[in-house]
Amino acid sequence: MTIIRQQSLFGIQELYEMEPTQQYQEIMDAIDLDAIFFEVNKKTSVGAPVELNYGAMIVSFFIRYVERIPTIKGLIKRLDHDLTFKLNCGFKVSDSTPSESSYSRLLTKLSESDIVERVQERVIHTAITEGFISDDTVAIDATHFEARDQASPKEKEQKKEPKKRGRKTKEERPKWLEEQAKELASLSLYEKKIEAQLDEPLHNLRTEVPQAPKWGIKKNSEGKNVFWFGYKGHLAVGASSQYILQSLLSSGNLNDGKAAIPLLKGLEQFHLPSIHLHTMDAGYDFEPIYEQIHRMGHQSNIAYNKRNESEMIGYDEHFAPTCFREHSYRYDSYDPKYETLKYTQPLECKECPLANQGQCQKVYKVRITTDLRKYTVPARGSKVWKKVFKRRTAVERVNAYLKEFYQLNNVRYRTGKRAKVHFNMIVLIYNASKLAADRINLSLKVQQAA
């Protein structure tokens, strides 16, 4: 590793500029390949003999993402024509190159198991154990990517009997209430309102998420609507370490906010005492999300999304109290024992005649439980709040990495089940590359100290 001089500048991009043999070894060392091999390998002596080198197949399947090979056909061609690449993937010279059908069967086995997600969790636990993850803030956001196929033409919807509008009569109301209850009970978990997720276990939240490709819509930076047919990848990223701590694949039409609670509940399994802040954009401004963060004993930092709400008299746009002359009180501190925000008198009030007459309150306190959405820690509009909110760019940076270096936009599969494997593999490779880069940085630091 003497070819690398500056430890502080080494990152994923520099890792990808290393010699392939060394690069593959560093990344694969961060992944529990034995667990994946045990999951997909034949476990019985009955049937046709195993002639394929499954271990090398798994490595080559991962290396395809590292080398940005877009298709399995391209991977097979590379294995056939590049002996060094074949050996670096773990194949012997005498091994025959697996066919597309063999790789397809491997993908099927991976899609029928959660092994990739379990190995991904082990990578995160390893990074925590080795001291590379000590974030206090997690940034959550979603990114969209298109499916391989275009949407099929919509079938003509059957004409439904128009619903009768207006207030129900006393005779009609019991029947209408019964119909409403049946309709609500028939909805899936992600069709219901977000508050339905609060008391659901994590397993249900993960298994019931819709994964079929659907039409999605989102406003871009210019305020224009962007349409796509495909999926959304939802990520919870450590703001300083930039590891993907939690991930979720969904249909393109799922509201971003409906993926937040599964990500938050997933974070609890790592028991990271350093994490206490969660920052998100205005697309996640829903009361149940604040409630989930509060239940975890953490603090929310979510942009406020005004919904035709009337202004609060005696408060500014950030819900800080104002004096008689409408100067905003300054956020001072937070008391975790009583869950109380403390505001102090505005600077303008020092020379105000009303202050001398006792008309202006010097200190103002408010419990965050009064309204978790309006009263956050740190307080909205304060310098500390703005500083924390800027950390949200970490997840946007990771989204860009996944699309630029790891082929997130290159979905080659028609079903959501296989697209999920594609997404999980990319997340796993990214975190493994991050862990490899951190390990190299640490070894360089030790060498420099010596």
Side-chain angles (χ1 to χ4, degrees):
M1 314 245 178
T2 54
I3 56 171
I4 303 163
R5 296 293 180 187
Q6 296 185 17
Q7 167 264 338
S8 60
L9 297 179
F10 191 87
I12 289 179
Q13 295 184 30
E14 287 73 24
L15 177 69
Y16 276 59
E17 292 171 4
M18 294 170 67
E19 288 296 322
T21 305
Q22 189 180 9
Q23 178 193 34
Y24 301 165
Q25 186 64 43
E26 295 288 349
I27 296 174
M28 292 301 111
D29 281 348
I31 300 173
D32 188 358
L33 294 173
D34 291 339
I36 301 175
F37 176 78
F38 179 79
E39 190 74 26
V40 303
N41 195 25
K42 187 177 178 181
K43 298 179 180 64
T44 176
S45 59
V46 180
V50 176
E51 298 178 355
L52 296 173
N53 187 339
Y54 267 111
M57 275 184 69
I58 294 168
V59 172
S60 64
F61 200 68
F62 278 105
I63 297 304
R64 175 198 154 205
Y65 292 98
V66 176
E67 289 292 333
R68 306 179 202 176
I69 301 173
T71 62
I72 295 296
K73 185 180 288 186
L75 174 61
I76 294 170
K77 186 176 180 180
R78 178 80 178 269
L79 289 169
D80 280 335
H81 294 86
D82 190 340
L83 181 60
T84 304
F85 177 75
K86 184 176 181 179
L87 295 174
N88 285 337
C89 289
F91 289 101
K92 299 176 182 177
V93 177
S94 58
D95 287 337
S96 58
T97 303
S99 64
E100 286 189 65
S101 299
S102 299
Y103 277 106
S104 180
R105 286 192 292 272
L106 172 63
L107 183 64
T108 299
K109 288 183 178 181
L110 292 174
S111 66
E112 292 173 349
S113 167
D114 64 345
I115 185 61
V116 178
E117 293 171 273
R118 284 189 275 129
V119 171
Q120 148 71 4
E121 288 179 6
R122 292 175 194 175
V123 172
I124 295 299
H125 279 296
T126 302
I128 293 170
T129 304
E130 296 183 14
F132 298 127
I133 298 178
S134 57
D135 303 84
D136 64 349
T137 306
V138 172
I140 293 178
D141 202 1
T143 185
H144 68 273
F145 51 100
E146 296 184 1
R148 177 180 177 182
D149 300 325
Q150 294 297 318
S152 57
K154 291 183 178 179
E155 297 179 0
K156 292 183 178 179
E157 295 182 2
Q158 295 181 351
K159 289 185 178 180
K160 295 181 180 180
E161 185 178 339
K163 292 184 178 180
K164 184 180 177 182
R165 294 173 177 264
R167 190 185 181 104
K168 307 300 176 186
T169 62
K170 188 178 290 187
E171 293 76 17
E172 293 174 331
R173 187 167 178 77
K175 184 180 178 181
W176 176 78
L177 289 173
E178 186 179 344
E179 289 174 354
Q180 291 292 307
K182 286 181 180 179
E183 186 177 342
L184 183 62
S186 65
L187 295 177
S188 67
L189 179 58
Y190 284 88
E191 288 175 329
K192 296 178 182 177
K193 293 183 178 180
I194 299 179
E195 49 261 36
Q197 299 178 0
L198 283 170
D199 297 321
E200 284 288 331
L202 178 61
H203 175 73
N204 292 357
L205 291 171
R206 286 199 167 276
T207 54
E208 294 188 32
V209 61
Q211 294 171 355
K214 297 289 183 182
W215 278 106
I217 178 173
K218 196 170 187 177
K219 287 190 181 293
N220 61 14
S221 56
E222 299 175 355
K224 296 180 180 179
N225 288 333
V226 177
F227 297 89
W228 77 95
F229 180 76
Y231 310 95
K232 276 185 181 179
H234 307 269
L235 305 178
V237 174
S240 58
S241 68
Q242 294 188 19
Y243 279 89
I244 300 174
L245 303 177
Q246 282 290 299
S247 60
L248 192 71
L249 176 84
S250 75
S251 302
N253 63 346
L254 186 74
N255 184 286
D256 290 359
K258 289 190 175 182
I261 292 178
L263 294 175
L264 291 167
K265 288 190 174 185
L267 286 170
E268 289 186 284
Q269 66 188 342
F270 292 123
H271 304 292
L272 272 168
S274 59
I275 293 176
H276 63 275
L277 286 166
H278 301 272
T279 181
M280 311 170 209
D281 63 25
Y284 295 87
D285 183 31
F286 295 97
E287 290 180 7
I289 297 177
Y290 292 93
E291 176 62 28
Q292 175 61 34
I293 295 172
H294 184 255
R295 288 184 183 185
M296 294 165 64
H298 297 174
Q299 307 301 340
S300 52
N301 184 274
I302 305 173
Y304 196 80
N305 186 9
K306 292 183 179 179
R307 303 187 181 98
N308 299 322
E309 300 171 9
S310 58
E311 293 184 4
M312 294 175 61
I313 299 174
Y315 297 86
D316 66 7
E317 59 180 335
H318 300 300
F319 311 107
T322 57
C323 67
F324 283 104
R325 299 178 66 182
E326 297 188 353
H327 296 301
S328 299
Y329 277 66
R330 297 172 296 159
Y331 170 65
D332 181 83
S333 59
Y334 171 69
D335 185 348
K337 182 178 179 180
Y338 298 102
E339 296 186 315
T340 303
L341 296 174
K342 178 183 176 182
Y343 294 88
T344 55
Q345 200 174 47
L347 292 174
E348 294 85 353
C349 290
K350 288 184 178 180
E351 299 178 358
C352 177
L354 295 175
N356 297 328
Q357 297 173 13
Q359 296 294 323
C360 278
Q361 208 171 310
K362 289 187 177 182
V363 175
Y364 193 97
K365 294 183 179 181
V366 58
R367 287 183 180 271
I368 61 170
T369 50
T370 305
D371 192 328
L372 292 172
R373 185 166 165 248
K374 293 176 180 177
Y375 302 110
T376 63
V377 182
R380 291 187 180 278
S382 63
K383 290 182 180 179
V384 186
W385 189 95
K386 293 175 182 177
K387 184 180 179 181
V388 173
F389 188 71
K390 286 180 180 178
R391 298 175 191 169
R392 195 184 58 83
T393 55
V395 68
E396 295 174 348
R397 199 174 301 116
V398 172
N399 283 335
Y401 268 127
L402 299 187
K403 291 183 176 180
E404 182 179 355
F405 291 101
Y406 300 94
Q407 305 185 64
L408 183 60
N409 281 326
N410 182 33
V411 180
R412 310 298 300 180
Y413 312 111
R414 289 186 169 90
T415 64
K417 215 172 181 182
R418 291 193 164 199
K420 181 183 176 182
V421 176
H422 171 79
F423 176 70
N424 287 336
M425 290 282 283
I426 287 171
V427 172
L428 176 55
I429 284 288
Y430 169 82
N431 277 336
S433 301
K434 192 77 178 65
L435 180 56
D438 285 343
R439 283 173 170 173
I440 293 172
N441 280 332
L442 181 61
S443 65
L444 289 171
K445 189 176 180 180
V446 171
Q447 288 176 20
Q448 288 173 2

